[in-house]
Amino acid sequence: MRKTNKSIAGYHLLMILSAVDYKFHVGEEKVIREYLEEEFPFHVNLDNELEVISALQPSDWKDHFEFQAHCFLDDSTEKERKEFKQFAKKLIKADATVSDREHDFYSLMKTIWKM
């Protein structure tokens, strides 16, 4: 896998978090859009990133998520990680139910970031 920068890694993390319960809620889409607007104040083409994420099998999600969490860690400050954690928390709560898998992935991210 190729290393990504903080903003792209965050996109991958949110997209996987939105997929792990096998349901995509409109509230999750809003959180992802909000993140993209904050991280990319200019238009950016994420088609290649979406292609990478879409090609993953559910069995690959955890490894990819861990890798992207490490990429985010390498390219961010503690403040940026705390802010991103709030996006992730908002995303997993968007449908008013936090599945065990969402909780596990969220906890994995916090563990990698020593939070």
Side-chain angles (χ1 to χ4, degrees), residues 14 17 84-92 106 109:
L14 292 176
L17 275 174
F84 183 84
K85 184 180 84 161
Q86 294 309 310
F87 272 108
K89 187 181 223 176
K90 189 174 176 181
L91 183 131
I92 64 174
Y106 178 75
M109 179 188 77

Side-chain angles (χ1 to χ4, degrees), residues 6-109:
K6 170 188 66 86
S7 300
I8 297 296
Y11 175 68
H12 282 247
L13 293 170
L14 292 176
M15 290 298 287
I16 291 172
L17 275 174
S18 72
V20 296
D21 64 354
Y22 300 100
K23 301 173 199 159
F24 191 69
H25 187 270
V26 68
E28 294 171 332
E29 180 182 0
K30 283 179 155 181
V31 174
I32 293 169
R33 286 183 185 273
E34 184 182 331
Y35 172 76
L36 292 175
E37 287 171 7
E38 188 172 299
E39 287 296 309
F40 302 103
F42 49 89
H43 176 71
V44 64
N45 185 338
L46 294 171
D47 289 348
N48 290 341
E49 302 307 322
L50 188 54
E51 202 173 296
V52 169
I53 296 164
S54 297
L56 295 171
Q57 297 299 312
S59 59
D60 300 326
W61 289 346
K62 185 174 182 243
D63 288 342
H64 189 78
F65 189 86
E66 286 181 12
F67 178 79
Q68 294 301 330
H70 283 286
C71 290
F72 195 102
L73 175 65
D74 292 346
D75 199 33
S76 64
T77 65
E78 183 178 357
K79 180 179 184 273
E80 289 169 328
R81 290 188 294 279
K82 285 180 180 177
E83 290 170 356
F84 183 84
K85 184 180 84 161
Q86 294 309 310
F87 272 108
K89 187 181 223 176
K90 189 174 176 181
L91 183 131
I92 64 174
K93 291 182 171 188
D95 62 358
T97 304
V98 178
S99 73
D100 289 342
R101 283 182 51 91
E102 287 172 320
H103 181 264
D104 291 346
F105 275 67
Y106 178 75
S107 296
L108 174 62
M109 179 188 77

